[in-house]
Structure formats: C-alpha cells, structure tokens
Amino acid sequence: MLTGVGLGPGDPELLTIKAVRMLQEADVVYIPGGLARRLVEPYCTPIELPFPMSHDEEMIRVQIIKNAEKIAADARDKNVVFGIIGDPNIFSTFSRLTIILKELYPDINISTVPGISSITALMSETRLPITGGFCVTDGSEIRSQIRMKVRKPLELAENLRKEGYSRFALVERMYMDGMQVLNGDDLPEESSYFSLLYAERDI
C-alpha cells in the first residue's frame, strides 16, 4: 500500500497529527527532495528520490517511471509513505507519480492524507481572508472547480453540465459522522450544509 502524505507548507509545526503518525508507522518513507527531509527526519529515515525540475517532459516521465518501479517493489507488501510538501493532490509531484503507477502497477493500492496547502497558508500569512468565490491556477486553462455548501447538488450538476462539466463527485459531512462520498451518477437532490461538489470538464 502507498499513501501520499501532505507535509504542509514548510513549517514543521504545521504537520498534522495524522501525518506524523503515518510517518512513524510506515515501513518505508520516500520523499521527492531535500525540502521535505527536515520535516520528516524527526519521525523517520526517508529515502530521497530524484524528481527533476525541467521543461523536458520526456525526461521527467522517464525518471518518474524509474521512481515508480522502486516504490512499487516496496508497496506490494509494505506500508509505504510518500511525503510531499503541501498537499498530495494539489499541483503535486505525487499526482504525476500516481498516474504512472496506475498505468504500470494497477495492483498497488494508493491513497492520500491531506496536508495544509500553500493556498491556505498564504491567506494566513497575508492576513487577507477569502470571503467569496476565488480561483487558483498555475496559468493553464481551468478545467475543474469546487463548490462549497452545496445544498442542491443534483440541480447544480445539471447546470454545470451546460457549461461543459461532465465529471462530478460530492463529499457530504467530510470526516464527520455520516460522511458520504458520491459520484456523479448518485448525486442526491438535497445534501447537508457541510457538502462539497467537485466538477471537472474535458479540455
């Protein structure tokens, strides 16, 4: 089993309790470079893998394939953690690694543990709270959005389909009693105030 664990934005005190426990309990911990090392070394001895910072996509893919091979060899029968700065699902090296692993090693069970992202840390450091809709992008075309406080998810999804969105997932009462994760085929007409809808379109 492989778990991508978010290590937060760089402050050792912003690791979650769950992240620390996962690092301590892991049989093997991989990290993608030196920045993560100082965050995980108080809890484990990590193995550093090279992930080149380059515009050469083919070179990057070749290296990720090599890294995936090493990780898969352990993840089949060990508890493996991949520690990543920020959150493993937001503009993350782990996301690219996961794509390759699913292509080449579909038998590997992969999950993630969220971390405090640079997005939320930014608002703390600037003291500029977000009080309305906002956009986060790396400059590429926007292909997904997250809606909060979704009370009528089915109606919302139907409206978003008119804008070209075709893939949906609803999480109701996340990490609370009665939590539900529903895909686009099972969206209810009404949901809790504590609901988030993810919508994605093909580009």
Side-chain angles (χ1 to χ4, degrees), residues 139-151:
S140 58
E141 188 172 356
I142 295 173
R143 61 175 298 183
S144 61
Q145 61 173 283
I146 297 171
R147 294 289 188 96
M148 301 173 62
K149 306 173 185 178
V150 178
R151 301 305 296 267

Side-chain angles (χ1 to χ4, degrees), residues 33-176:
L35 288 176
R37 182 174 292 278
R38 69 183 180 89
L39 298 177
V40 305
E41 278 190 328
Y43 312 108
C44 63
T45 302
I47 299 172
E48 188 173 329
L49 295 175
F51 285 84
M53 301 293 288
S54 170
H55 295 296
D56 186 338
E57 288 296 323
E58 182 57 29
M59 181 186 73
I60 294 172
R61 179 177 171 83
V62 168
Q63 184 60 59
I64 292 178
I65 289 173
K66 291 179 181 178
N67 294 341
E69 182 179 3
K70 293 178 182 178
I71 293 170
D74 284 327
R76 285 198 175 92
D77 57 6
K78 294 178 182 178
N79 176 18
V80 177
V81 161
F82 189 96
I84 185 81
I85 296 287
D87 183 279
N89 294 300
I90 300 178
F91 298 112
S92 167
T93 298
F94 186 75
S95 299
R96 301 192 69 172
L97 174 65
T98 297
I99 292 171
I100 299 297
L101 282 165
K102 288 180 177 179
E103 286 178 9
L104 302 179
Y105 308 100
D107 57 312
I108 302 297
N109 184 19
I110 303 172
S111 62
T112 59
V113 172
I116 296 173
S117 73
S118 61
I119 299 160
T120 52
L122 172 68
M123 309 329 298
S124 181
E125 292 302 314
T126 60
R127 302 183 184 181
L128 297 171
I130 292 172
T131 57
F134 68 102
C135 171
V136 177
T137 178
D138 62 352
S140 58
E141 188 172 356
I142 295 173
R143 61 175 298 183
S144 61
Q145 61 173 283
I146 297 171
R147 294 289 188 96
M148 301 173 62
K149 306 173 185 178
V150 178
R151 301 305 296 267
K152 296 183 177 181
L154 185 59
E155 179 181 328
L156 176 57
E158 289 174 351
N159 289 333
L160 288 172
R161 286 185 196 279
K162 298 173 185 177
E163 299 177 22
Y165 291 87
S166 58
R167 182 182 180 189
F168 303 94
L170 178 78
V171 180
E172 185 176 10
R173 300 185 59 81
M174 186 161 51
Y175 301 135
M176 304 177 191

